[in-house]
């Protein structure tokens, strides 16, 4: 079960177990979805259209991008930045699920609303994600830099990246893109948890006999649906975040095509809309939805008995 359930007071699940479940599910899921994440980031950072008709476009489709990355950088490229990505998944998963559990229980203890309500899950899910984001955002920036760089690599190791970034760009570099991240993560995670709960109830209503069985399949299906819907609703902010996170990293992007510099969230959004149109805000949506379906579905599959 995700979140506090007053009807399940007999369950014997400690805070440590909730944190471990969130961490382990994030760790295993990250290994599986890393190739899609790398492709998604490459798409998000490409200024040129994702189309065969644009001769300057380096990437124009998931399969083509996968083949090109494999040919140019080798199979390990799909796991670039895997160590910071795992630190991100473990830390984010632990803090998010633990915070969500604590917040929903707090709402119930305060007798404000039913802890299983859509609005409660939306609010608590959003707040727990913001807490987790503040805790692990520096690792997210490192992950994006590693996934964005081509060959030869600018950063050879995690330690090299931390030292170089701190020395050349200052400590605030590790919080680049924080504003759009927080703006996006609140509704994204809020929708994730609340839509997951709603889909689960709808599944149990539509298939009452099946609802009591095949719990893992139900969690996988409802989690995937929640991930796809949530990601689609908040996707442009994720793209703006990635563009801002690679600011000051232009030299490593030169071989991929055009590069841009942005002064902030509004400037980034304005430039993307002017130069790339509304569709530019959704570059990389296809691999992102595949990733969201797999990652969210698998997290709920492993985390929720």
């Amino acid at each position: 079960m995700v979140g506090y359930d007053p009807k399940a007071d007999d369950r014997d699940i400690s805070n440590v177990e909730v944190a471990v479940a969130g961490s382990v599910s994030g760790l295993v899921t990250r290994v599986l979805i890393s190739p899609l994440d790398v492709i998604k980031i490459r798409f998000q950072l490409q200024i040129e259209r994702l189309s065969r008709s644009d001769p300057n476009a380096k990437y124009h489709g998931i399969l083509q991008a996968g083949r090109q990355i494999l040919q140019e950088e080798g199979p390990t490229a799909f796991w670039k930045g895997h160590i910071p990505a795992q630190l991100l998944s473990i830390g984010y998963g632990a803090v998010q699920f633990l915070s969500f559990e604590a917040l929903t229980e707090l709402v119930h203890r305060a007798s404000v609303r039913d802890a299983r309500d859509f609005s409660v899950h939306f609010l608590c899910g959003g707040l727990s994600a913001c807490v987790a984001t503040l805790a692990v955002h520096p690792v997210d920036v490192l992950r994006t830099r590693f996934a964005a760089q081509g060959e030869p690599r600018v950063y050879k190791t995690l330690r090299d990246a931390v030292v170089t970034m701190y020395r050349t760009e200052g400590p605030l570099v590790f919080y680049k893109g924080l504003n759009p991240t927080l703006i996006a993560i609140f509704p994204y995670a809020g929708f994730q948890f609340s839509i997951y709960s709603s889909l689960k109830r709808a599944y149990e209503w539509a298939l009452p006999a099946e609802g009591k069985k095949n719990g893992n399949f139900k969690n996988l299906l409802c989690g995937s649906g929640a991930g796809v819907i949530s990601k689609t609703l908040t996707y442009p902010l994720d793209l703006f975040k990635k563009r801002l996170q690679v600011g000051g990293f232009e030299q490593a992007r030169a071989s991929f095509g055009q590069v841009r510099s942005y002064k902030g969230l509004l400037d980034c959004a304005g430039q993307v809309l002017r130069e790339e149109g509304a569709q530019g805000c959704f570059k990389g949506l296809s691999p992102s939805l595949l990733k969201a379906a797999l990652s969210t579905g698998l997290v709920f599959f492993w985390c929720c008995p």
Side-chain angles (χ1 to χ4, degrees), residues 178-227:
L178 181 62
N179 287 341
T181 302
L182 290 176
I183 294 170
I185 201 65
F186 186 95
Y188 174 64
F191 281 128
Q192 239 184 15
F193 281 100
S194 52
I195 290 173
Y196 167 76
S197 297
S198 297
L199 289 175
K200 220 167 89 160
R201 284 197 291 271
Y203 182 96
E204 291 166 354
W205 174 81
L207 300 167
E210 290 293 321
K212 296 177 181 178
K213 304 183 295 183
N214 300 325
N216 286 339
F217 174 75
K218 175 179 63 179
N219 293 336
L220 179 64
L221 187 65
C222 297
S224 296

Side-chain angles (χ1 to χ4, degrees), residues 118-174:
F118 182 95
S119 59
V120 172
H121 274 213
F122 180 86
L123 182 62
C124 294
L127 288 173
S128 65
C130 287
V131 172
T133 296
L134 288 171
V136 302
H137 191 75
V139 184
D140 189 24
V141 174
L142 287 165
R143 158 64 176 157
T144 300
R145 293 284 182 104
F146 273 104
Q149 68 178 351
E151 299 291 340
R153 299 184 182 191
V154 175
Y155 306 129
K156 303 298 188 293
T157 64
L158 181 59
R159 182 179 179 278
D160 176 45
V162 172
V163 172
T164 303
M165 289 167 65
Y166 183 85
R167 189 176 61 245
T168 58
E169 301 176 64
L172 291 181
V173 66
F174 299 107

Side-chain angles (χ1 to χ4, degrees), residues 20 24 29 37 103 126 139 147 152-153 155 175 188 199 240 265:
V20 169
V24 172
T29 301
D37 201 28
L103 287 168
V139 184
R153 299 184 182 191
Y155 306 129
Y175 282 92
Y188 174 64
L199 289 175
F240 301 150
L265 175 57

Side-chain angles (χ1 to χ4, degrees), residues 2-20:
V2 176
Y4 181 76
D5 185 355
K7 292 188 176 181
D9 278 334
D10 58 336
R11 65 180 184 171
D12 186 22
I13 302 176
S14 68
N15 287 340
V16 174
E17 288 174 316
V18 172
V20 169

Side-chain angles (χ1 to χ4, degrees), residues 80-89 138-140 142-143 146 158:
K80 274 186 175 178
H82 191 60
I83 293 175
Q86 284 293 14
L87 293 174
L88 172 66
S89 296
V139 184
D140 189 24
L142 287 165
R143 158 64 176 157
F146 273 104
L158 181 59

Side-chain angles (χ1 to χ4, degrees), residues 94-108:
V95 176
Q96 183 186 31
F97 276 87
L98 191 56
S99 300
F100 184 73
E101 184 85 7
L103 287 168
T104 49
E105 183 173 359
L106 181 65
V107 169
H108 174 71

